[in-house]
Amino acid sequence: MFHDKTLRANPEEHALKAEAERLAPLFEAKGPENEAAGQLSPETVTELRGNGFFGMMVPKELGGADCTPLQTLSVVESLCHSDSATGWVTMAANVATASAAAFLPDEGVRTVFAKPGAMVAGAGAPRGKAEIDGNGYRLSGTWTYGSGCLHCDWIHAGAMIYENGAPRMIPGTNTPESRIFVVPVEQVEFLGNWDVLGLRATGSVDYAIRDVYVPHEMTHSASEVVGKRGGNGYRIGVVGFSALGHTGFALGHGRRILDELLALVTSPTGRPSPLASLGGSDAFKQDYAVAEGKLRAARAFVYDVWSDIQDTVDKSEPVSVRQITLARLALNHATNAMMEISVFAHRAGGGVALHAGPLQRTLRDSFAATQHVMVSDNALRDCGLDFLGLAEGKRWTPRGLVDAN
């Protein structure tokens, strides 16, 4: 991992960062087993739960670690360096768990966090339909990419609000209303369908909810940015939680790729790789230096952006559209750097990278990560919209810029 003291990587180190580094050998060793099972191993989940990783962004008053954005970024980066799927599930679950902790009404929070260490996971895209029913909703739908659902206690699911059979509009707008629903995992049907190229161990299965009554207090808006409880870190909102986690993945996984390539160079002579002899060709040495520069530059950009956001929330000020634009740009930039490094490592690794093993898995996981909506080209186009001065009256959501309400 990085040990640079010149970057403002984590001015107030959190105990979870030390725990992530202590547990790194276990998480790394369980990687192949996780992938074969299509989900994290029981040992991995036990350590994540027992050490509070799923409550990383949960307020202390609810038993969480209440990490700042910079602390969260650093911990996710460390976990993803150890094992990409372990880090991915942790960061995805933290988005849903932190959202519930920050934005649910008090009664809902008491229900969800009655059990210490509660974990929420799921997909916030409004793919479901919630028909108003008294002081609650009848929720139905099918959701995809439920990272962490196989290990959670509660499911987080987005849905459009319907009233008398028609979508209900946000007052004063032509925008349909949507909300996040938090449902006991026992009321959810898991559909499987995780036959993917990479990130297989995340178990990001499809799931269905069929005509389940959800009280209003078990729902919250997806666009809230000021938590009902907890610290100022919640001012980044759900869009900030998501960007933060995926950015930590790109940085940690990118470093793991370069470390795996370095291991080939320093391996004993005789290993089936051309890199084990004098560190490869001059061209390889040059390309490795370029790859190192790409990752370090991406990381410096990321921590610069998030340090600025940290300063803003520490002053109890709202995070601006431009600050989230920069965070989204830094995320895409880091993801592109990770992908370019992964392709370079695969080609340089020769036959070793072709066979089952860490280098092959890092390549597949990289390709899987680049398919997420958070790092789509649409996000970059929306960044350009803001930089061109055309985002007035807009706000960021995980899926891009929309009209502010």
Side-chain angles (χ1 to χ4, degrees), residues 2 7-8 251 294-307:
F2 290 96
L7 290 177
R8 184 185 168 188
L251 295 179
K294 285 180 182 178
L295 186 59
R296 287 177 179 266
R299 189 172 189 268
F301 180 24
V302 163
Y303 276 96
D304 178 65
V305 167
W306 279 101
S307 292

Side-chain angles (χ1 to χ4, degrees), residues 7 48 64 72 78 107 110 154 159 167-168 180 211 220 249 259 279 287 290 296 299 336 364 389:
L7 290 177
L48 290 172
T72 299
S78 183
E107 187 175 345
R110 286 193 292 269
W154 299 85
R168 186 168 75 178
I180 299 293
D211 195 33
H220 65 84
F249 174 87
D259 284 355
D287 290 342
V290 170
R296 287 177 179 266
R299 189 172 189 268
N336 288 338
R364 291 188 287 100

Side-chain angles (χ1 to χ4, degrees), residues 1-22:
M1 285 292 288
F2 290 96
H3 300 287
D4 303 75
K5 300 302 182 184
T6 54
L7 290 177
R8 184 185 168 188
N10 197 8
E12 60 248 12
E13 281 290 336
H14 196 278
L16 279 179
K17 176 67 178 297
E19 283 301 291
E21 293 177 350
R22 180 183 69 83

